[in-house]
Amino acid sequence: MDGPDGGLNALTALTDATRRAAYEAVLATGARPVGRDEIASALGVGRTLAAFHLDKLVDAGLLEVTYGRRNGRTGPGAGRPAKLYRASAAEHAVSAPPRDYRTAAELLAESVERSGADTALFDVAREHGRRVSSGGDVRELLSAHGYVPEETPAGLQLNNCPFHRLAEQFPPLVCGMNLALISGLLDGTDWQARMDAAPGRCCVVVSKNNSD
């Protein structure tokens, strides 16, 4: 997580509607880097304008740049590698006056692990999911809670973990809490959550319930 200035820069970068849409389009691709042509097409703008906003998001620390050939060709005659963009792993927070909720969360998570109270945490997380679930479209529901769902042949891949830093420090505890929370959100729908950890996305995936 960055300092106050970094958070303010990131917040300022997202005040422009087109730039915010570009960021959301990149975020929706998960770990897969995308080029300016793909973002231009998604936003319905020119590639020069798309590149301008993408580079501004890089400057703000919201995106990072990599290079690669999209056509799979290598060697002489393959052309220059394309400039590609993907979401930065950095977190940005703004609060005034400054607050340190992350440290509190880390201390609470460690306390739960030491005391063996994970079952109680999972029960609370599931109950919370049920309580805040608004029903309706599952994609909108998951998006509202920060998961960035992407449709795949197997169901919904969640391209963002709202608890990423804590999950890195306390994987079984936080991933279990996450699974319980999403299960609560999906309670009463024809969708189900299961654990399927992979790099670059949430450890939980969502699929249609095949019990019928």
Side-chain angles (χ1 to χ4, degrees):
M1 187 175 294
D2 57 8
D5 290 343
L8 288 172
N9 290 339
L11 180 64
T12 301
L14 293 174
T15 57
D16 181 275
T18 303
R19 197 169 302 159
R20 185 166 63 253
Y23 177 67
E24 291 171 350
V26 175
L27 188 62
T29 66
R32 178 176 65 85
V34 294
R36 64 179 179 178
D37 289 343
E38 186 174 344
I39 299 302
S41 177
L43 271 56
V45 301
R47 50 201 303 268
T48 301
L49 181 60
F52 170 78
H53 286 298
L54 289 167
D55 287 337
K56 287 295 185 181
L57 291 167
V58 172
D59 293 341
L62 291 164
L63 299 182
E64 57 187 31
V65 172
T66 185
Y67 292 88
R69 293 185 173 90
R70 308 310 303 271
N71 56 16
R73 296 172 58 193
T74 59
R80 291 188 303 170
K83 188 176 184 179
L84 305 174
Y85 302 84
R86 62 187 175 195
S88 170
E91 295 182 1
H92 306 275
V94 179
S95 63
R99 307 296 188 195
D100 190 5
Y101 299 112
R102 179 178 169 182
T103 296
E106 291 172 350
L107 293 173
L108 289 169
E110 187 169 351
S111 298
V112 170
E113 275 199 340
R114 287 190 184 185
S115 63
D118 50 338
T119 299
L121 173 63
F122 300 159
D123 289 342
V124 169
R126 184 183 291 270
E127 291 169 7
H128 176 78
R130 290 171 179 159
R131 186 166 59 250
V132 302
S133 177
S134 58
D137 184 82
V138 167
R139 296 163 191 79
E140 294 181 1
L141 176 63
L142 292 168
S143 295
H145 288 82
Y147 287 102
V148 191
E150 177 187 0
E151 292 193 40
T152 71
L156 296 177
Q157 173 179 297
L158 306 180
N159 287 331
N160 182 56
C161 173
F163 317 110
H164 175 65
R165 293 301 183 195
L166 279 179
E168 287 186 323
Q169 293 178 262
F170 310 95
L173 180 71
V174 177
C175 289
M177 178 194 74
N178 197 23
L179 176 61
L181 173 61
I182 295 175
S183 296
L185 288 172
L186 301 178
D187 195 34
T189 73
D190 56 352
W191 293 82
Q192 61 184 355
R194 60 182 174 84
M195 194 74 73
D196 184 17
R201 62 170 172 81
C202 179
C203 59
V204 176
V205 295
V206 177
S207 58
K208 284 284 189 177
N209 193 332
N210 296 320
S211 59
D212 52 8

